[in-house]
Amino acid sequence: MTLEPGGAAAGAPGAPRRPGAGVPFLDLQAPYAELRAGIDRAVSRVLSSGRYLLGPEIEAFESEFAGYCGTAYCVAVNSGCDALELALRALGVGPGDDVLVPSHTFIATWIAVSAAGARPVPVEPAGGGTLIDAAGVEAAVTPRTRAVVPVHLYGHPVDLDPLREVAHRHGLHVLEDAAQAHGARYRGQRVGAAPSVAAFSFYPGKNLGAMGDGGAVVTADAELAGRLRMLRNYGSRAKYRHELRSGNSRLDEVQAAVLRVKLARLDEWNARRARLAGRYRAGLGGLDWLRLPEAAPWAEHVWHVYPVRTRHRDALAGHLAEAGVQTLSHYPVPVHLSPAYASAGLPAGSLPRAERLAAELLSLPMGPHVTDGQAEAVLDAVRSFRPPE
Ligand SMILES: *Cc1c(COP(=O)(O)O)cnc(C)c1O
């Protein structure tokens, strides 16, 4: 079985001692095995077509994914990070602007803001949770703030209505980072549904993953979609007419063809993730040293990962590794303490909630292809852990 980091995360505290004998954090061969005939046919269709970029597969995927999300336009690009950066640029966010981002997220959220020339300004997660909320955003707004990037982290949507109200009052753009939330619903609407502007990643380990890099922006705004189409292709609408200074972030036809096959299976695979989450909750609910992730009553969670929380994270990761259960920490180093943001003036202690989450979260194996036997092995391994006194 393939062992590959899930999400875009790196750094595994618990590599299995006995690979093959245990439970991998993520198995990327199983999804291909399940859809092999359809994927092979789709790839071969593209290879024979002689059309490899900006052709019929991209057009079809864009229209299918926009329809799936419940909006009018989708512009496919080369990665989730590019989707975020180009969306910010299309919204007119750039040098001199501050953009509010979660203190607890994958670094790509911050990097995209920096790449657009703006400054990421962290907002701590609300209460005891992992997501930002409207009150935290409002408290962080200054005259320099131009936009906010809520992240539907781990597959759970942010509470958008109050956040949109705050953003509207302060004249802020809202760009949703939906890289981990394909198919999730907020009050019955899919993440990305109009009037959202949302960026998705199709990194292989995401709920909707390509077989390589990919990303997309969805929007209900025709003009914004038009600017994004230019920004992904050297600022041009027509060959050799360059209206904007921009590079190349095209998604290729092979990836689009693969994504179309997998999109048809997304809801079913998300449902399998939800069943596994239910099983984890039923099996681990009574442990007083362990906090399990929850879904708000208004949310349909798509369980991109299943992060449990404990003060004994490193010991638990070690115990699970001994039992052959591979885990990952999302994310072991908070963004502001990464060397990449050393110059941001955010020393250790400045974002205590993000720092605690980085020390206490541990993600259990999660995905549509975790077998019943593997789920049992995970439950047994967690239940047999004795936290040190
Ligand atoms: C994966 C991810 C991204 C970036 O996606 P890439 O396709 O790897 O560039 C951005 N934000 C979050 C929250 C992610 O998990």
Side-chain angles (χ1 to χ4, degrees):
M1 273 185 271
T2 303
L3 302 176
E4 202 173 299
R17 305 275 153 87
R18 294 169 288 136
V23 187
F25 180 73
L26 179 65
D27 176 1
L28 285 177
Q29 288 176 317
Y32 176 52
E34 185 179 330
L35 296 179
R36 180 164 200 150
I39 289 175
D40 286 0
R41 235 180 294 122
V43 170
S44 142
R45 180 175 74 228
V46 175
L47 297 186
S48 323
S49 75
R51 185 72 189 263
Y52 304 123
L53 288 168
L54 300 181
E57 298 290 341
I58 286 286
E59 231 173 85
F61 172 70
E62 287 180 339
S63 123
E64 288 161 13
F65 193 61
Y68 175 84
C69 292
T71 193
Y73 304 98
C74 167
V75 180
V77 297
N78 195 247
S79 72
C81 193
D82 279 8
L84 289 164
E85 178 198 336
L86 297 185
L88 287 168
R89 290 174 57 192
L91 290 167
V93 176
D97 296 333
D98 280 357
V99 177
L100 302 179
V101 294
S103 58
H104 177 68
T105 182
F106 179 57
I107 194 170
T109 315
W110 290 44
I111 288 286
V113 172
S114 301
R119 181 172 71 164
V121 174
V123 174
E124 287 268 75
T130 55
L131 303 177
I132 62 169
D133 73 356
V137 166
E138 179 137 50
V141 172
T142 74
R144 282 177 51 129
T145 314
R146 281 292 304 284
V148 54
V149 185
V151 181
H152 306 304
L153 199 65
Y154 306 136
H156 191 295
V158 166
D159 193 359
L160 285 172
D161 287 345
L163 188 131
R164 283 176 175 147
E165 192 274 315
V166 165
H168 181 75
R169 217 154 9 86
H170 293 277
L172 311 181
H173 295 293
V174 179
L175 168 62
E176 297 164 44
D177 182 340
Q180 303 189 358
H182 318 72
R185 288 180 192 270
Y186 173 68
R187 299 192 184 279
Q189 302 266 327
R190 290 245 195 244
V191 160
S196 283
V197 181
F200 288 87
S201 162
F202 306 124
Y203 179 83
K206 300 289 160 94
N207 291 40
L208 177 60
M211 291 168 130
D213 274 315
V217 182
V218 298
T219 175
D221 179 340
E223 228 179 281
L224 189 74
R227 276 199 298 283
L228 283 160
R229 285 185 207 294
M230 288 198 278
L231 285 169
R232 75 172 169 191
N233 192 25
Y234 295 113
S236 74
R237 236 185 297 241
K239 212 170 175 67
Y240 304 133
R241 303 197 158 266
H242 306 281
E243 299 169 50
L244 302 171
R245 193 179 298 174
S246 188
N248 164 6
S249 182
R250 299 180 295 245
L251 184 71
D252 66 76
E253 290 279 292
V254 170
Q255 298 305 335
V258 168
L259 286 167
R260 294 179 68 197
V261 177
K262 291 180 126 185
L263 179 58
R265 208 52 81 89
L266 178 58
D267 285 342
E268 186 195 323
W269 285 5
N270 280 343
R272 287 197 227 160
R273 289 173 182 272
R275 271 200 300 280
L276 179 58
R279 193 157 180 183
Y280 282 161
R281 170 156 285 281
L284 303 174
L287 303 172
D288 60 359
W289 52 270
L290 192 70
R291 237 167 85 190
L292 304 178
E294 296 183 18
W298 41 260
E300 197 174 307
H301 200 321
V302 290
W303 303 103
H304 173 57
V305 293
Y306 193 88
V308 299
R309 188 168 174 184
T310 170
R311 286 190 296 124
H312 312 293
R313 192 269 306 278
D314 293 343
L316 176 63
H319 174 80
L320 294 179
E322 287 287 346
V325 173
Q326 191 188 24
T327 58
L328 264 190
S329 189
H330 294 94
Y331 296 91
V333 180
V335 181
H336 67 287
L337 300 183
S338 301
Y341 281 98
S343 64
L346 297 163
S350 62
L351 295 166
R353 290 186 183 176
E355 290 168 32
R356 265 193 75 183
L357 289 170
E360 296 187 350
L361 287 180
L362 187 71
S363 301
L364 302 181
M366 166 53 72
H369 297 91
V370 175
T371 65
D372 288 351
Q374 288 175 326
E376 274 314 307
V378 173
L379 291 175
D380 286 347
V382 175
R383 286 202 214 98
S384 66
F385 178 67
R386 296 287 167 266
E389 279 319 306

